Amino acid sequence: MNMTPEEYQQYVQHKAKKSPLLKDTALAFVVGGAICTLGQLIQNGWRSAGLGQGDAGTATSITLVFLSALLTGLNLYHRLAGYGGAGTLVPITGFANAVVAPALDFKSEGFVTGMAAKMFVIAGPVIVFGTLASVIYGVVLCIFGR
């Protein structure tokens, strides 16, 4: 089947299912808000357990990363993402999912060449560009002062 790029675009647009934008946005808002609310409840729990504000924040981050990794390993985070879409990209839980999911996908290729090598396929660029941006920001701050 020979098609020009324009004909192919028309074909794809004709076959593509329309996305329910309002519904998807509402679900992302609700799921993302629920994750953030859970994070706040966890932090309040750590505070009531006697941790200070800084330590409770650290413990909350660790807890959310653990829960996200656990849910990813149990294939539940993927189901939640299918329902809540972009709402599951809340930074810390989405990042943990982005590290654990490729590691699980490639575990059959071995520990080093599979899991360890593919673990940062998705999250690696985020780490690199985040580090680069922080270095640039630090240099600009040092040059121009506060």
Side-chain angles (χ1 to χ4, degrees):
M1 177 185 237
N2 279 335
M3 292 180 142
T4 66
E6 294 82 20
E7 290 172 334
Y8 179 73
Q9 287 299 326
Q10 288 176 346
Y11 175 76
V12 168
Q13 287 177 356
H14 177 68
K15 292 289 185 181
K17 189 173 98 176
K18 299 293 181 206
S19 175
L21 188 60
L22 185 61
K23 177 185 166 213
D24 289 349
T25 304
L27 285 173
F29 178 79
V30 169
V31 171
I35 291 171
C36 292
T37 302
L38 175 66
Q40 186 62 53
L41 291 172
I42 291 170
Q43 185 173 16
N44 292 349
W46 286 118
R47 289 291 308 264
S48 67
L51 294 180
Q53 182 67 30
D55 291 337
T58 302
T60 300
S61 297
I62 292 168
T63 305
L64 287 172
V65 166
F66 171 77
L67 289 174
S68 178
L70 179 66
L71 292 176
T72 299
L74 296 174
N75 200 28
L76 296 175
Y77 201 89
H78 176 71
R79 289 183 186 172
L80 181 63
Y83 180 74
T88 58
L89 295 177
V90 173
I92 198 159
T93 57
F95 187 78
N97 174 262
V99 171
V100 174
L104 291 175
D105 289 343
F106 292 100
K107 71 180 178 182
S108 63
E109 294 181 19
F111 183 73
V112 174
T113 59
M115 265 180 34
K118 303 293 185 178
M119 186 179 294
F120 294 104
V121 167
I122 296 171
V126 175
I127 295 170
V128 169
F129 290 114
T131 303
L132 180 63
S134 65
V135 168
I136 291 171
Y137 177 76
V139 169
V140 168
L141 189 62
C142 282
I143 291 172
F144 295 108
R146 295 178 189 201

